[in-house]
């Protein structure tokens, strides 16, 4: 490819490159540069074909994968990579050069309307899963745009809120997933809307310098859509592309260049990065074809749900036996292309395939007719102005062997640009679950929600809870298989389910119209709950299985740089299953404040019934490091550390101690 550089373009062309064309394209300098187009989104290609007169968008249907929150719950690196490959296939078939995904923001607050688009409350888990997704996408020929940088953890007043975060917390929690994802060399990144310590994210010179310095980012930086306030200030801070095109901003940029406010060096730096982005993406997909067929992509979507659904409660009710007569209730059991089992906003798309019907899928598997009553919509009962649900649903449950209530949220309650006020289910749903479970205590709730739910109002009444999440278009089949034991649940929570919203530190920190103080610092999610010894409903890393696993035989060795742990996971049950063993590091007598324990490694392994596997997990020195604000660098302090292998962040199964001496890992 004969490549141009910034030097080959006129100043006017370079200035024009610093803003997009419309909402989805880049400027091609009148044909001198290749044409370039991009699309949302994280859980399915959202190709906008046209914008109707009323402002609504006509979208091309595409494969709907489960939400990123479900992908995170799989803890399966290979599957994250597969999702990247599948999405790349969708992009390549539609001529899309860059996918505006994935989002790696930390789930600091369970109310955040976009949590379903994000991976985790833990920066390591979020970073590693995102890195694999980006690698899968880019190796298959499509560029990634990692978003939203940075500290954008609520949608509340998102254009003005200042997230006030101390330096160390920024590096250890909020920058961390970005630094890990940079190992996959994403070609681009998107800034967020909010302000960071008073400064608009689009003008965050220090943040961009950190990205291009310590965090190892070498691509182009996009604005979020309409996040730019002053194009020149953004350019001077290092933001390369404003999206979408804005006439007034462009005019001002030209004036500022002509009057010397924006220098040639500054203009060239941004323009060159835009040019590099265009060529990098073109080279990336040169000669590449969609690696997966549509049917294979749909299987990936189904597999993510099968591996990412989390069994939260099971008092001997699941799996359902053949011949069980089941009654299904709730609007989420039937999904449609404009479905309820989806979050709202820029991640919402139009499904490609067939809608699912959980009752029909269960009938097939159980060999008995499953009855269905829609009973309620997300916030209202059907056919009843009051809160009570139709008597029919309760009667169905009473007459069945088992009742399945499909409850949850969806785009009405979890969406971009707004947050949930409460993390409880709408009152009508809570009452429906309790009424149905009173009529038949053999009740399972399947929860179609994109983030943590306070289950306390109804959990004691039911015998089983399966978190399906926002399950994508093949989710119904996966959920039916899990309920009937044709698949063994192996998802684990990538976020804490607190007992109540008030227990979450972020819910109690200062927030007004302008400012959100991150006064909990490093103690986000389980870091807080474990350290404070505060009970939660379901801890980070939690998930039940139909199989039973035991841990033993921990062996530890080190060459000074790497700690190698190996241990046995034995499946003592008669069901094949997968276990996610998690490795946490706990500093003992640390020299600076450290969270009580932090996830530093994990392994997901298939273990046949009655079998065992020896699992190996390696930790580098960075597993012991923290960000020293005093020295503005990562530090590893000499000292003693406990390494914990567990089923989740509170259920430790194996432990050992290791030391750091003179910066090396040694065994005591
Ligand atoms: C969202 C981005 C999205 C963009 C384009 C913005 O409102 O915050 O995540 O990629 O719109 O749709």
């Amino acid at each position: 490819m004969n490549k141009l550089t910034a030097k080959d373009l006129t100043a006017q062309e370079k200035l024009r490159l610093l803003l997009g064309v419309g909402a989805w394209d880049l400027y091609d300098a009148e044909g001198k540069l290749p044409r370039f187009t991009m699309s949302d989104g994280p859980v399915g290609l959202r190709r906008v074909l046209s914008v109707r007169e009323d402002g609504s968008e006509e979208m091309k249907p595409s494969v709907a994968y489960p939400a990123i929150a479900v992908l995170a719950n799989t803890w399966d690196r290979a599957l994250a990579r597969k999702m990247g490959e599948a999405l790349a296939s969708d992009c390549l078939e539609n001529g899309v050069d860059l996918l505006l995904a994935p989002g790696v923001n930390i789930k600091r607050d369970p109310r955040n309307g976009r949590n379903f688009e994000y991976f985790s409350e833990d920066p390591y888990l979020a970073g590693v899963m995102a890195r694999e997704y980006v690698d899968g996408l880019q190796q298959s020929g499509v560029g990634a745009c990692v978003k939203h940088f940075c500290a954008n953890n609520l949608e509340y007043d998102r254009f003005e809120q200042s997230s006030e975060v101390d330096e160390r917390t920024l590096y250890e929690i909020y920058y961390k997933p970005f630094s890990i994802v940079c190992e996959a060399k994403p070609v681009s990144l998107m800034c967020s809307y909010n302000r960071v310590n008073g400064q608009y994210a689009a003008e965050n010179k220090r943040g961009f310098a950190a990205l291009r310095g310590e965090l190892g980012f070498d691509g182009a930086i996009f604005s979020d859509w309409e996040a730019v306030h002053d194009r020149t200030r953004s350019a001077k801070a290092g933001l390369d592309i404003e999206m979408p095109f804005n006439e007034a901003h462009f005019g001002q940029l030209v004036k500022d260049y002509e009057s010397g406010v924006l220098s040639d060096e500054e203009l060239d730096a941004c323009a060159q990065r835009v040019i590099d982005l265009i060529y990098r993406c073109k080279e990336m997909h040169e000669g590449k074809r969609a690696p997966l067929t549509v049917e294979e992509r749909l299987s990936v979507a189904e597999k993510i749900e099968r591996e990412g659904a989390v069994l939260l409660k099971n008092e001997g009710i699941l799996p359902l036996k053949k011949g069980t007569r089941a009654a299904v209730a709730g609007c989420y059991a039937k999904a449609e292309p404009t479905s309820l089992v989806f979050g709202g906003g820029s991640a919402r798309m139009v499904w490609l395939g067939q809608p699912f019907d959980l009752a029909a899928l269960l009938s097939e598997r159980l060999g008995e007719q499953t009855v269905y009553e829609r009973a309620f919509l997300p916030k209202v009962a059907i056919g009843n102005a009051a809160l009570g649900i139709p008597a029919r649903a309760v009667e169905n449950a009473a007459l069945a062997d088992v009742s399945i209530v499909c409850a949850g949220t969806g785009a009405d309650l979890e969406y971009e640009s707004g947050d949930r006020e409460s993390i409880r289910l709408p009152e009508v749903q809570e009452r429906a679950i309790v009424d149905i479970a009173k009529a038949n205590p053999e009740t399972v709730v399947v929860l179609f929600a994109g983030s943590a739910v306070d289950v306390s109002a109804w959990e004691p009444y039911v015998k089983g809870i399966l978190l399906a999440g926002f399950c994508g278009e093949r989710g119904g089949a996966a959920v039916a298989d899990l309920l009937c034991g044709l698949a063994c649940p192996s998802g684990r929570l990538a976020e804490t389910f607190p007992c109540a919203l008030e227990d979450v530190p972020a819910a109690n920190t200062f927030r007004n119209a302008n400012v959100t103080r991150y006064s909990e610092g490093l103690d986000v999610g389980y870091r807080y709950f474990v350290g404070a010894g505060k009970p939660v409903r379901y801890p980070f890393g939690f998930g039940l299985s139909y199989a039973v696993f035991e841990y033993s035989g921990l062996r530890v060795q080190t060459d000074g740089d790497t700690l190698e742990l190996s241990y046995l996971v034995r499946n003592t049950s008669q069901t094949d299953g997968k276990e996610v063993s998690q490795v946490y590091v706990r500093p003992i007598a640390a020299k600076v404040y450290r969270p009580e324990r932090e996830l530093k490694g994990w392994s997901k392994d298939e273990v046949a019934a009655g079998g065992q596997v020896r699992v190996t997990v390696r930790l580098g020195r960075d597993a012991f490091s923290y960000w020293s604000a005093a020295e503005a660098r990562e530090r590893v302090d000499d000292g003693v550390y406990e390494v914990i292998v567990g089923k989740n962040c509170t259920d430790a199964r194996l432990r050992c101690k290791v030391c750091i001496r003179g910066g090396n890992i040694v065994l005591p």
Side-chain angles (χ1 to χ4, degrees):
M1 202 178 292
N2 183 20
K3 291 201 268 184
L4 303 185
T5 70
K7 302 264 170 290
D8 300 314
L9 300 180
T10 64
Q12 189 68 21
E13 286 168 337
K14 287 185 280 194
L15 288 161
R16 186 63 193 82
L17 260 187
L18 269 51
L19 295 93
V21 173
W24 308 111
D25 299 331
L26 293 185
Y27 177 60
D28 68 357
E30 310 305 328
K32 290 189 197 159
L33 292 167
R35 298 182 75 165
F36 189 98
T37 189
M38 64 201 97
S39 261
D40 281 314
V43 297
L45 183 66
R46 189 172 151 272
R47 192 83 185 122
V48 178
L49 296 176
S50 65
V51 181
R52 301 189 189 91
E53 267 180 18
D54 64 359
S56 64
E57 292 166 333
E58 190 203 343
M59 282 184 282
K60 183 153 182 215
S62 197
V63 176
Y65 304 89
I68 291 290
V70 178
L71 178 67
N73 287 346
T74 69
W75 296 61
D76 186 329
R77 297 172 179 86
L79 211 43
R81 172 175 290 267
K82 262 274 169 278
M83 181 159 170
E85 286 172 22
L87 279 159
S89 308
D90 296 319
C91 290
L92 289 170
E93 281 177 1
N94 285 281
V96 172
D97 301 282
L98 185 88
L99 188 73
L100 301 170
V104 297
N105 297 60
I106 293 293
K107 302 186 194 198
R108 170 179 180 261
D109 188 323
R111 290 170 298 184
N112 182 13
R114 296 188 87 169
N115 273 353
F116 70 93
E117 285 188 60
Y118 300 141
F119 289 88
S120 180
E121 67 189 27
D122 181 81
Y124 179 69
L125 180 61
V128 169
M129 293 296 281
R131 179 187 70 202
E132 299 305 310
Y133 173 111
V134 167
D135 212 36
L137 184 74
Q138 295 201 156
Q139 294 295 334
S140 307
V142 175
C145 181
V146 183
K147 50 199 197 179
H148 306 88
F149 191 78
C150 152
N152 174 204
N153 311 96
L154 272 184
E155 290 294 280
Y156 173 76
D157 193 21
R158 63 177 177 164
F159 293 102
E160 288 301 327
Q161 272 290 302
S162 175
S163 301
E164 312 240 320
V165 202
D166 68 81
E167 184 94 350
R168 182 172 166 204
T169 303
L170 271 179
Y171 274 89
E172 280 185 36
I173 305 289
Y174 299 99
Y175 287 175
K176 196 70 183 182
F178 289 95
S179 81
I180 298 173
V181 88
C182 280
E183 292 165 16
K185 298 268 165 238
V187 293
S188 71
L189 204 136
M190 188 190 293
C191 79
S192 51
Y193 287 121
N194 55 296
R195 294 180 296 141
V196 183
N197 293 324
Q199 191 162 43
Y200 288 115
E203 297 170 14
N204 184 3
K205 191 169 187 166
R206 276 187 83 176
F208 295 159
L211 262 179
R212 293 188 166 121
E214 300 95 297
L215 310 189
F217 176 64
D218 68 352
I221 301 179
F222 280 88
S223 73
D224 199 341
W225 270 228
E226 287 163 10
V228 169
H229 296 258
D230 178 319
R231 185 64 194 96
T232 307
R233 276 213 303 269
S234 289
K236 290 173 90 66
L239 183 132
D240 304 311
I241 307 154
E242 172 174 359
M243 292 301 292
F245 180 71
N246 179 314
E247 186 81 53
H249 285 183
F250 179 59
Q252 188 60 45
L253 183 72
V254 172
K255 272 194 205 137
D256 288 340
Y257 171 73
E258 284 165 353
S259 65
V261 178
L262 182 75
S263 70
D264 276 309
E265 291 72 44
E266 287 164 332
L267 172 61
D268 281 11
C270 291
Q272 188 60 53
R273 286 191 291 257
V274 184
I275 297 170
D276 290 344
L277 168 71
I278 295 173
Y279 286 126
R280 272 176 88 175
C281 289
K282 292 293 166 194
E283 282 171 357
M284 206 176 257
H285 63 232
E286 212 162 57
K288 295 233 171 67
R289 284 168 165 228
L292 303 179
T293 63
V294 171
E295 199 40 55
E296 285 167 340
R297 286 170 237 167
L298 287 164
S299 307
V300 171
E302 187 171 329
K303 186 154 188 225
I304 294 168
E305 179 61 22
R306 195 184 297 265
E307 300 266 328
V310 185
L311 184 60
L312 296 175
K313 178 169 184 175
N314 187 16
E315 287 181 348
I317 190 167
L318 294 173
L320 304 177
K321 289 179 201 62
K322 204 141 182 108
T324 299
R325 287 174 306 117
V328 175
C331 56
Y332 303 94
K334 273 199 183 174
E336 288 139 21
T338 49
S339 180
L340 294 164
V341 289
F342 232 80
S346 56
R348 191 165 184 182
M349 29 94 55
V350 177
W351 300 19
L352 181 72
Q354 294 298 308
F356 65 73
D357 175 348
L358 191 61
L361 292 161
L362 285 175
S363 299
E364 280 167 24
R365 286 159 180 78
L366 296 172
E368 280 288 335
Q369 184 62 34
T370 301
V371 289
Y372 175 61
E373 185 68 35
R374 208 162 177 218
F376 56 81
L377 291 169
K379 294 188 221 166
V380 290
I382 287 177
N384 194 333
L387 275 173
I389 59 157
R392 188 67 182 274
V394 179
E395 277 166 24
N396 284 351
L399 292 171
D401 299 326
V402 164
S403 115
I404 314 274
V405 186
C406 295
T409 57
D412 280 359
L413 291 145
E414 293 190 64
Y415 54 88
E416 179 182 335
S417 82
D419 301 311
R420 285 186 297 168
E421 275 167 29
S422 158
I423 62 167
R424 289 175 58 169
L425 292 178
E427 200 181 344
V428 64
Q429 296 195 39
E430 290 192 338
R431 286 183 55 169
I433 296 169
V434 173
D435 286 354
I436 287 174
K438 280 185 178 163
N440 186 349
E442 298 297 309
T443 289
V444 176
V445 171
V446 182
L447 206 48
F448 294 86
S451 54
V453 170
D454 171 358
V455 301
S456 43
W458 48 268
E459 181 273 341
Y461 297 88
V462 304
K463 290 206 170 154
I465 306 174
L466 179 71
L467 173 68
F470 293 154
C471 63
E473 65 186 273
R474 280 289 177 95
V479 167
D481 281 354
L482 289 163
L483 291 174
C484 299
L486 299 172
C488 181
S490 65
R492 303 288 184 267
L493 291 179
E495 68 196 285
T496 305
F497 272 43
C499 295
L501 177 61
E502 302 72 66
D503 295 346
V504 179
N508 301 306
T509 53
F510 178 83
R511 188 182 89 180
N512 69 13
N514 301 309
V515 173
T516 305
R517 274 196 73 198
Y518 286 39
S519 44
E520 76 288 353
L522 303 170
D523 289 327
V524 175
Y526 73 89
R527 284 168 169 72
Y528 164 73
F529 290 108
V530 176
K534 187 146 191 121
V536 298
R537 183 69 57 189
Y538 305 115
F540 173 83
F542 176 82
L544 300 171
S545 168
Y546 299 146
V548 180
F549 301 101
E550 281 177 5
Y551 292 56
S552 63
L554 177 62
R555 289 188 205 141
V556 194
Q557 59 182 50
T558 181
D559 60 2
D561 291 328
T562 307
L563 181 74
E564 189 178 288
L565 303 163
S566 87
Y567 46 88
L568 293 171
V569 175
R570 177 191 290 273
N571 181 347
T572 59
S573 74
Q574 291 177 357
T575 308
D576 297 344
K578 287 186 181 172
E579 175 70 332
V580 180
S581 50
Q582 302 157 33
V583 179
Y584 296 86
V585 170
R586 182 172 85 90
I588 299 174
K591 297 193 174 90
V592 295
Y593 178 74
R594 306 286 297 265
E596 172 63 21
R597 73 186 56 162
E598 295 182 283
L599 180 77
K600 297 296 174 182
W602 79 84
S603 182
K604 184 167 191 174
D605 300 278
E606 188 153 14
V607 195
Q612 68 176 24
V613 295
R614 182 160 275 281
V615 177
T616 303
V617 174
R618 291 182 186 83
L619 306 186
R621 277 199 191 88
D622 57 350
F624 303 90
S625 72
Y626 66 95
W627 179 263
S628 162
E631 296 175 25
R633 67 175 178 98
E634 294 252 343
R635 264 194 70 94
V636 178
D637 282 345
D638 282 2
V640 182
Y641 297 79
E642 186 174 35
V643 179
I644 301 166
V645 183
K647 281 180 78 67
N648 60 60
C649 72
T650 57
D651 187 351
R653 295 300 169 106
L654 304 167
R655 298 166 182 268
C656 66
K657 298 221 170 91
V658 300
C659 301
I660 302 287
R661 298 247 186 279
N664 290 320
I665 307 172
V666 294
L667 300 180

